[in-house]
Amino acid sequence: MSSEHMQIGEVAARTELSLRTIRHYEETGLVIPSARSQGGFRLYTEADVARLMVIRRMKPLGFALDEMRALLEATDRLDSGGELPPEEREALLERIRGFERAARQRVEELRTRLSRAEEFAATLAERLAGTPAH
């Protein structure tokens, strides 16, 4: 096995994703192992790990698998190394800009929810602090 390839356990440790989750992303076509060992084990590269990290970062923001796939397809096309027609390149960049805007909006929504949750926890703590012991 080449040192540039990793088995699924190492990938899981590096990405903090479960083996089951990585296999699910493979089944849905989001991340396909770059190779298989002679024994049939999945082998991943740094590029595969990078794809999994994109997915891992999108998940808490509520992006659906289809959205993840659309972003990965756009970035794959841009990173393919081939010369793209200017209009296709701009369309791909605009798709990525749309994801960037959506991500920023979702982060703001999460900040608002977190702030409300912290206020609630503080209210409970104040209530408990003011309650006489029995």
Side-chain angles (χ1 to χ4, degrees):
M1 179 173 61
S2 166
S3 63
E4 64 190 40
H5 286 98
M6 296 164 268
Q7 290 189 4
I8 193 170
E10 182 180 348
V11 173
R14 288 190 50 196
T15 60
E16 299 178 352
L17 294 169
S18 70
L19 300 178
R20 183 175 177 214
T21 298
I22 294 170
R23 288 184 189 115
H24 173 69
Y25 292 148
E26 179 185 355
E27 290 166 9
T28 60
L30 287 175
V31 177
I32 306 298
S34 292
R36 292 265 180 178
S37 70
Q38 289 182 343
F41 294 106
R42 296 165 175 86
L43 297 176
Y44 298 87
T45 62
E46 288 297 332
D48 299 324
V49 170
R51 286 178 76 83
L52 285 164
M53 293 303 292
V54 168
I55 295 165
R56 194 187 93 181
R57 290 176 180 124
M58 291 180 82
K59 188 73 175 152
L61 295 176
F63 286 101
L65 292 177
D66 287 343
E67 292 173 307
M68 294 174 188
R69 186 174 293 106
L71 176 62
L72 290 168
E73 287 171 357
T75 57
D76 287 348
R77 186 78 176 114
L78 284 170
D79 295 344
S80 67
E83 188 66 30
L84 297 174
E87 52 280 348
E88 180 182 358
R89 179 175 167 69
E90 186 52 41
L92 292 167
L93 289 171
E94 187 51 41
R95 185 184 304 173
I96 294 170
R97 285 184 199 107
F99 279 106
E100 190 268 342
R101 287 188 297 269
R104 287 188 184 280
Q105 179 181 356
R106 292 175 187 198
V107 165
E108 274 310 306
E109 291 166 1
L110 280 173
R111 282 192 178 112
T112 299
R113 290 178 59 201
L114 177 60
S115 175
R116 290 177 183 157
E118 288 171 334
E119 289 171 6
F120 175 64
T123 300
L124 292 175
E126 288 171 13
R127 169 120 181 144
L128 290 170
T131 303
H134 290 264

